[in-house]
Amino acid sequence: MSILKVKEIEKIYDGKIKYRALDGVSFDIDKGEFVAIMGPSGSGKTTLLNCISTIDNFTGGEIIINDKKPHELDDDNLSKFRRQELGFVFQDFNLVNTLTVEENIILPLTLDNVKESIMAERLSRATKLLGIEALLKKRTFEISGGQAQRVAIARAIINEPALLLADEPTGNLDSKAVKDVMELFVSINKKLDTTILMVTHDPYVASFCSRVIFIKDGNLYNEIHSQNNQNEFYGKIMDTLSFLGGGRNEFK
């Protein structure tokens, strides 16, 4: 069953010179997959994620998420769709500093007026999975970057979304925290059967996924699948990036 269907997506930015950021990109993601999007700087990977997440509109094509077309919804229903069908994890965490960790995590449920009993059950499950039960009463400035990203992930999965979207989720973390956070993503993917789509420039981060889609110049360049051997998959990712061309800095 496909949770996400991307069909011939085009994105053209108007200006003195029109710029085609995406040029007919198509792929599907099945329920329970953990997929990364990679490509050189300016390849269109973040634009693609923004279109899928409904942050940005596209010029042509079609995006279907959990059998719905979110870009055809009005503002109120689109906001509801985002809260109930999508989870978001960002590089800079996007936590609300005036709220406690607990209040940050349950914010999507609060906005949807979910019953307190259901809220407490989901909060317990998410925080236990992420190992942050002891942080609930703390403020965001009292916790580390790695802990903050765990809180952001807990908030993203609290609504049990059909699709979890992550934009460079390890970009602000040290190497130890990167490994910890990626192992959490794998755990969420396997234990909750959560479908995850992540943009990253880091081949090590991508090696935790089951599939990597490569974008170049707004086009689908290639995709590779993991055979459950992370070291071998990392090597395949590095080989593909080398064929894409450019130095390491181009994949930031």
Side-chain angles (χ1 to χ4, degrees), residues 5 21 36 74 77 79 81-83 87 93 95 108 112 128 157 160 168 204 211 227-228:
K5 297 178 181 179
D74 60 35
N77 284 315
S79 295
F81 176 87
R82 284 174 178 153
R83 289 198 305 272
F93 318 137
L95 300 177
D112 275 341
K128 185 176 181 181
I157 65 172
E160 301 173 352
E168 300 284 4
Y204 173 70
R211 174 161 59 122
Q227 303 298 322
N228 296 318

Side-chain angles (χ1 to χ4, degrees), residues 8 14 44 53 55 58 87 172 181:
E8 295 293 324
D14 287 324
S53 68
I55 290 172
F58 44 88
N172 282 334
V181 165

Side-chain angles (χ1 to χ4, degrees), residues 159-175:
N159 249 342
E160 301 173 352
L163 180 63
L164 179 59
L165 301 168
D167 187 8
E168 300 284 4
T170 61
N172 282 334
L173 304 178
D174 60 36
S175 56

Side-chain angles (χ1 to χ4, degrees), residues 12-84:
I12 300 171
Y13 290 101
D14 287 324
K16 290 182 179 179
I17 300 176
K18 286 189 176 182
Y19 173 63
R20 188 179 292 271
L22 297 171
D23 189 11
V25 175
S26 298
F27 62 88
D28 290 359
I29 295 181
D30 291 337
K31 180 172 174 55
E33 274 199 282
F34 186 3
V35 180
I37 298 176
M38 300 192 78
S41 178
S43 60
K45 57 186 185 295
T46 298
T47 300
L48 177 60
L49 190 71
N50 286 344
C51 289
I52 293 169
S53 68
T54 73
I55 290 172
D56 200 356
N57 289 316
F58 44 88
T59 311
E62 188 175 61
I63 291 175
I64 302 171
I65 301 173
N66 208 19
D67 294 326
K68 302 178 183 72
K69 298 178 181 179
H71 290 81
E72 295 182 0
L73 300 174
D74 60 35
D75 288 347
D76 287 344
N77 284 315
L78 179 57
S79 295
K80 186 177 179 181
F81 176 87
R82 284 174 178 153
R83 289 198 305 272
Q84 296 183 351

Side-chain angles (χ1 to χ4, degrees), residues 134-185:
L135 303 179
L136 291 180
K137 301 306 177 186
K138 290 182 178 290
R139 298 282 176 176
T140 55
F141 59 81
E142 296 178 297
I143 61 178
S144 69
Q147 290 171 329
Q149 194 58 293
R150 286 172 182 249
V151 173
I153 294 169
R155 181 186 57 193
I157 65 172
I158 196 79
N159 249 342
E160 301 173 352
L163 180 63
L164 179 59
L165 301 168
D167 187 8
E168 300 284 4
T170 61
N172 282 334
L173 304 178
D174 60 36
S175 56
K176 169 69 167 63
V178 167
K179 184 174 185 292
D180 290 345
V181 165
M182 291 314 301
E183 287 175 347
L184 286 172
F185 272 112

Side-chain angles (χ1 to χ4, degrees), residues 193-205:
D193 199 28
T194 301
T195 308
I196 304 173
L197 178 62
M198 174 179 64
V199 163
T200 182
H201 71 272
D202 188 332
Y204 173 70
V205 168

